[in-house]
Amino acid sequence: MRPYRTKHSHNPLAERKGPYGPAQARVLDLAGFEAARREITSWPGYAPTPLIPLDGLAARAGLGRIWYKDESRRFGLGSFKALGGAYAVYRLLAADVAKATARPSVAASELVGRTHRKITEAVTVCCATDGNHGRSVAWGAQSFGCNCVIYISTFVSEGRKRAMEAYDAKVVRIDGNYDDSVREAAVQAARQGWFVISDTSYEGYTAIPRDVMQGYVVMADEAIEQLPANERPSHIFVQGGVGGLAAAVLARFWQLDGAGRPRFVVVEPEAAACIYASLSAGKPVAVGGSLETVMAGLSAGEVSILAWELLKPGVDDVMTVEDAAASELMRLLARGEGPDPPIVAGESGVAGLAGALAACADPDLSAAFGLDERASILVFGTEGATDPEVYREIVGRAPEEVAPA
């Protein structure tokens, strides 16, 4: 990649030598992860998504290895979000049914089979989304038998809106940005007696976002199991957003590797860099404006307070990239570099890799990160072409022309 405009900050709050201790376990604990893994891996259609070595791209960038976790076909929803929102919907409904029937637990198969439809059909879940989380919540609601209402901002594409409606969700577009849609979902839920299934947490609302994040940890664990024996990446570059994804990936590596975990870098769009701003300020701060970015799934102005409790001590670095870097990388992955297979990657899904390659193109930044031929980079391609029309506009080809199903 050619040099792109970036900003970088080393996290002044990092506690590199600290173990994954009680404070971190209060956010994401091992028991919660194991419960999520048992449940999600039992669902029909579950399969680990591939971990792809991008040796051609690594050689071009002067790196030892690049590992790309491709989430483009997760449960047919096109993104890693399928692991989070749907799992939280299941947890909510299972607890509701268990309480109503005085049972200790309720299997997902009972909900899918509509055994308790009189209970579940009285429930409405809602959320705010830039697309992928809403699709997961809508899919979970349809699968497990409840109603769903989704709020989207001015900037969410019509293609993503239609994708959520395809799962029987009622989708309401509001004037404003993503954070405005989060607030509207909370207001309407309180008025209507609905349940908010959010991937971001705020004061007084943490239990459901914790379930969402525990689902994300499954993806990180798959990547660890798929790496060659005794191999760990030296660096992880992961996209920001509200921080739930980054915190979940960080948690799993921190749990297993402690102070020996990979160097952890969060990458954000310039226009929506709430984690950058918060780490710089030493506390969660909101960034204003439209938050509009081609990386639509990362259009967030406020960090999740749960994620913050992990990111504050655990992130080593945070950086921003301009939109053009993400667009170029989508085209580069679609072409394939040398032996690398063509990959369909969406705008938000490439942010981590775009940050890594932008850093490689900057001599000062690559030196600061230690990006050389000894470096092994892990990134998460968190979405495929979740809006095929937008994908074609950026890449110049339809997703099925790049990588046939």
Side-chain angles (χ1 to χ4, degrees):
M1 291 178 67
R2 64 178 177 85
Y4 279 101
R5 186 173 60 249
T6 63
K7 289 196 302 183
H8 162 251
S9 176
H10 181 68
N11 178 17
L13 308 175
E15 301 171 11
R16 183 69 207 188
K17 295 182 180 179
Y20 195 84
Q24 288 74 45
R26 283 194 291 270
V27 179
L28 293 176
D29 65 348
L30 188 58
F33 157 64
E34 290 176 343
R37 179 171 57 184
R38 283 194 304 271
E39 178 58 40
I40 291 169
T41 57
S42 74
W43 292 353
Y46 168 79
T49 53
L51 184 67
I52 302 171
L54 298 180
D55 293 337
L57 190 55
R60 180 176 171 181
L63 299 170
R65 298 297 295 269
I66 295 176
W67 295 100
Y68 183 91
K69 180 72 165 158
D70 184 5
E71 292 291 300
S72 64
R73 294 177 182 171
R74 177 74 73 177
F75 282 117
L77 269 69
S79 87
F80 82 105
K81 293 280 190 176
L83 296 168
Y87 176 63
V89 172
Y90 158 74
R91 290 269 294 175
L92 172 75
L93 294 176
D96 205 30
V97 171
K99 182 178 179 181
T101 58
R103 295 175 55 192
S105 63
V106 176
S109 59
E110 297 178 60
L111 302 181
V112 172
R114 302 299 191 263
T115 304
H116 307 286
R117 63 187 308 164
K118 289 185 178 180
I119 299 172
T120 62
E121 288 178 356
V123 173
T124 297
V125 296
C126 77
C127 71
T129 186
D130 284 317
N132 291 338
H133 175 69
R135 193 180 305 193
S136 178
V137 171
W139 174 61
Q142 185 189 67
S143 298
F144 301 127
C146 69
N147 306 298
C148 181
V149 180
I150 295 173
Y151 291 87
I152 61 174
S153 76
T154 303
F155 307 107
V156 176
S157 73
E158 279 297 313
R160 291 190 169 96
K161 178 176 181 286
R162 290 192 298 270
M164 290 179 275
E165 290 171 335
Y167 292 104
D168 299 328
K170 178 183 178 182
V171 182
V172 180
R173 187 183 296 277
I174 60 111
D175 291 330
N177 62 27
Y178 169 76
D179 294 324
D180 295 322
S181 67
V182 170
R183 286 185 279 271
E184 183 65 13
V187 167
Q188 293 302 325
R191 287 177 180 170
Q192 305 291 341
W194 300 339
F195 295 90
V196 176
I197 305 292
S198 179
D199 57 352
T200 191
S201 59
Y202 39 87
E203 195 65 38
Y205 178 77
T206 58
I208 286 175
R210 181 178 286 109
D211 287 338
V212 172
M213 292 166 64
Q214 290 287 19
Y216 297 165
V217 179
V218 172
M219 177 186 66
D221 194 64
E222 286 178 1
I224 291 168
E225 292 182 347
Q226 290 167 322
L227 287 164
N230 302 316
E231 181 170 334
R232 280 287 198 273
S234 58
H235 299 69
I236 297 175
F237 284 77
V238 65
Q239 35 273 50
V242 299
L245 162 67
V249 173
L250 169 63
R252 191 60 182 141
F253 280 86
W254 198 349
Q255 286 169 349
L256 294 176
D257 296 344
R261 64 187 182 275
R263 184 165 184 163
F264 199 87
V265 184
V266 171
V267 183
E268 298 181 289
E270 288 179 320
C274 61
I275 297 173
Y276 186 101
S278 297
L279 290 175
S280 298
K283 61 182 181 181
V285 296
V287 297
S290 71
L291 308 176
E292 187 174 5
T293 168
V294 71
M295 294 169 270
L298 307 180
S299 177
E302 299 179 30
V303 64
S304 164
I305 62 169
L306 270 180
W308 173 252
E309 292 304 313
L310 292 175
L311 300 177
K312 177 179 67 174
V315 168
D316 295 295
D317 304 271
V318 60
M319 65 180 294
T320 68
V321 293
E322 58 181 303
D323 280 2
S327 298
E328 182 189 347
L329 189 50
M330 290 171 65
R331 292 188 288 268
L332 190 155
L333 290 174
R335 292 194 303 269
E337 177 70 20
D340 302 344
I343 293 174
V344 175
E347 312 93 274
S348 301
V350 300
L353 183 53
L357 296 183
C360 288
D362 182 324
D364 293 335
L365 200 49
S366 62
F369 283 149
L371 296 175
D372 55 27
E373 68 280 354
R374 296 166 294 180
S376 175
I377 308 298
L378 173 63
V379 296
F380 293 85
T382 49
E383 67 172 5
T386 52
D387 186 329
E389 295 172 9
V390 172
Y391 183 86
R392 180 191 280 274
E393 288 175 7
I394 294 173
V395 174
R397 287 185 288 163
E400 59 271 18
E401 295 177 278
V402 173

